[in-house]
Amino acid sequence: MALRARGWRPPPPPLLLLLLWVTGQAAPVAGLGLGSDTELQIERRFVPDECPRTVRSGDFVRYHYVGTFPDGQKFDSSYDRDSTFNVFVGKGQLIAGMDQALVGMCVNERRFVKIPPKLAYGSEGVSGVIPPNSVLHFDVLLMDIWNSEDQVQIHTYFKPPSCPRTIQVSDFVRYHYNGTFLDGTLFDSSHNRMKTYDTYVGIGWLIPGMDKGLLGMCVGEKRIITIPPFLAYGEDGDGKDIPGQASLVFDVALLDLHNPKDGISIENKVVPENCERRSQSGDFLRYHYNGTLLDGTFFDSSYSRNRTFDTYIGQGYVIAGMDEGLLGVCIGEKRRIVVPPHLAYGEEGRGNIPGSAVLVFDIHVIDFHNPSDSISITSHYKPPDCSVLSKKGDYLKYHYNASLLDGTLLDSTWNLGKTYNIVLGSGQVVLGMDMGLREMCVGEKRTVIIPPHLGYGEAGVDGEVPGSAVLVFDIELLELLAGLPEGYMFIWNGEVSANLFEEIDKDGNGEVLLEEFSEYIHAQVASGKGKLAPGFDAEMIVKNMFTNQDRNGDGKVTAEEFKLKDQEAKHDEL
């Protein structure tokens, strides 16, 4: 229910009460003790286990009663009117016997009271209702008690160990509550509606007692707030569920708290000792997170999806609070980012995030890069003789460990027990690796960091390399075979024979078959007179050379074909 006052008019007073007021007296309540028929007699038929307060002269009470004569005939009942009797005690508003009988009662206590005529309506009675000299019996149940000097009462029955902030005036809060009367009757509950009550505190959006009762609460705190009616809905009640002059009891659990002036708050949990670079606007981050509300309620986690959240920062791809909170992080850093709703999902919320919710993100930064980044090379060891450096076309044999920036191992040639072999510049590895292997000498050890746009990109490698991942390669170059000049797959190491065709055509039939051609080329390589490009399939190179010589494609090379080819620029041809 809304905790704001609403207009309401109480029902007209019952006939008996009008008569009592006409005679200058008022309606009944219960007292204590036993005595003769000429004395006030009180029987306590039910006393609650807990009785924090009893009726004193000057208190205002609300109670139900049934009034009967000694023969059991009913002359009046508040139950029949479906309304408690509300009155001050000890101020002459009740018959004397009832004024005495109510003193000392607890809320929810039930008393049976016998009032002699001298403490009731005496020898005159009430015409048509109470005969003269009548003994009156009242069965009384006390529902409520308060005093005009009462203030809001607060009882905190749970307070979290950590309380970094408490409710102040003008804060916006989200809380659950059960609202009851003093006798425990439930009149409203946010739990039943499965929706928190969301409001500003201290600026008149709440009844005065609730405005006071919420101040100083911590998120996670639970307290009972007891409010007298003059700080609640007063004489008129709320016109629906709350009667006039009712004391209210709210059992409150605070879930959320922020101020419209709040920015994000950041708590660094783990900061790596070595932090060569911090994130900046425009960087692309991969990070894990757990997302909760301020009371710890979980709403999302990248861990549950077994995949990082990947995004640009500072460019509006994420909520404003995260855009700000992810700036200045180190790779491997863990931090808590608390985001107020106006920098998150606002009053509307989203999915399982309620409106006006403060969000808490516990993040772990896995890696980040900038689209303008190139590779990073750090050489850890170079042998004394490091004059021969790798270049495009060279055949390299090397070992590596491949990992993510957080240290997660992806692959290792050492674990496989064999080197990785490539021709540099031939597209056999990702571009960043090709760049990282340049100008390296045998025996050198280096670390190459490759941003994703020079690695495996946004897609990654399914089951092996995450999308948009920065890769770290620890490399040791073990062997280098110099490659051929760019564009060549075979070269001569010396002068070419003037009778080359005749040397290849051993049977002298004027035709060279693939077998003859292949045998001759391999013999030249074996003798050191020729060289095939290292790292490629030798038979495939030779076959391509033969095909280039066989101009008509008939599977044999004639002297004429050889001569025509010999006049052209020599690459992998003869």
Side-chain angles (χ1 to χ4, degrees), residues 324-343:
E324 181 182 350
L326 290 169
L327 294 173
V329 295
C330 305
I331 291 168
E333 182 172 342
K334 295 181 179 180
R335 66 168 49 174
R336 172 169 287 182
I337 305 171
V338 181
V339 184
H342 50 276
L343 296 176

Side-chain angles (χ1 to χ4, degrees), residues 463-475:
E464 297 181 41
V465 180
S468 300
V470 178
L471 304 180
V472 180
F473 286 89
D474 291 310
I475 302 168

Side-chain angles (χ1 to χ4, degrees), residues 213-437:
L214 291 171
L215 291 176
M217 280 193 83
C218 310
V219 171
E221 183 176 340
K222 297 179 180 180
R223 62 171 54 171
I224 294 174
I225 303 171
T226 305
I227 304 174
F230 53 85
L231 295 175
Y233 293 95
E235 295 183 7
D236 294 335
D238 74 341
K240 182 181 178 184
D241 302 305
I242 299 174
Q245 302 291 24
S247 300
L248 305 182
V249 180
F250 292 94
D251 191 339
V252 177
L254 184 61
L255 302 186
D256 202 340
L257 158 67
H258 78 277
N259 193 282
K261 297 178 181 179
D262 287 347
I264 65 168
S265 68
I266 295 174
E267 179 184 355
N268 292 321
K269 300 287 189 179
V270 176
V271 180
E273 291 183 5
N274 296 322
C275 183
E276 296 179 359
R277 174 180 167 186
R278 294 182 178 272
S279 60
Q280 299 176 348
S281 180
D283 284 343
F284 190 89
L285 264 70
R286 297 175 53 247
Y287 62 95
H288 272 303
Y289 70 89
N290 284 323
T292 62
L293 305 180
L294 264 188
D295 67 340
T297 301
F298 169 87
F299 65 81
D300 192 22
S301 173
S302 62
Y303 296 99
S304 64
R305 295 187 293 274
N306 197 29
R307 180 174 181 180
T308 57
F309 190 80
D310 308 338
T311 184
Y312 288 96
I313 61 169
Q315 297 185 350
Y317 285 87
V318 290
I319 57 175
M322 282 299 276
D323 242 351
E324 181 182 350
L326 290 169
L327 294 173
V329 295
C330 305
I331 291 168
E333 182 172 342
K334 295 181 179 180
R335 66 168 49 174
R336 172 169 287 182
I337 305 171
V338 181
V339 184
H342 50 276
L343 296 176
Y345 295 102
E347 295 181 5
E348 293 76 24
R350 176 183 291 185
N352 57 350
I353 298 175
S356 300
V358 177
L359 306 183
V360 180
F361 292 93
D362 287 304
I363 69 160
H364 180 197
V365 180
I366 303 302
D367 72 29
F368 64 81
H369 72 280
N370 195 282
S372 63
D373 287 348
S374 185
I375 64 169
S376 168
I377 298 175
T378 302
S379 183
H380 304 292
Y381 171 77
K382 287 185 179 183
D385 182 10
C386 191
S387 57
V388 178
L389 302 180
S390 59
K391 63 184 185 306
K392 183 177 181 180
D394 287 349
Y395 183 61
L396 307 181
K397 294 183 179 182
Y398 60 95
H399 270 308
Y400 70 83
N401 284 327
S403 61
L404 303 177
L405 276 181
D406 67 348
T408 301
L409 184 66
L410 300 177
D411 191 20
S412 173
T413 57
W414 277 288
N415 292 345
L416 296 175
K418 60 180 182 180
T419 59
Y420 199 77
N421 309 328
I422 68 159
V423 176
L424 198 57
S426 64
Q428 296 175 353
V429 289
V430 295
L431 181 57
M433 191 65 168
D434 210 312
M435 298 165 64
L437 289 166

Side-chain angles (χ1 to χ4, degrees), residues 29-30 53-55 101-107 109 111 140 142:
V29 185
R53 174 177 180 174
T54 60
V55 176
L102 288 172
V103 172
M105 277 193 85
C106 309
V107 171
E109 182 177 343
R111 290 184 175 183
V140 179
L142 186 64

Side-chain angles (χ1 to χ4, degrees), residues 139-155:
D139 191 342
V140 179
L141 178 63
L142 186 64
M143 310 296 289
D144 196 348
I145 173 176
W146 57 271
N147 192 282
S148 58
E149 296 180 358
D150 286 347
Q151 298 297 319
V152 175
Q153 298 178 40
I154 297 172
H155 168 61

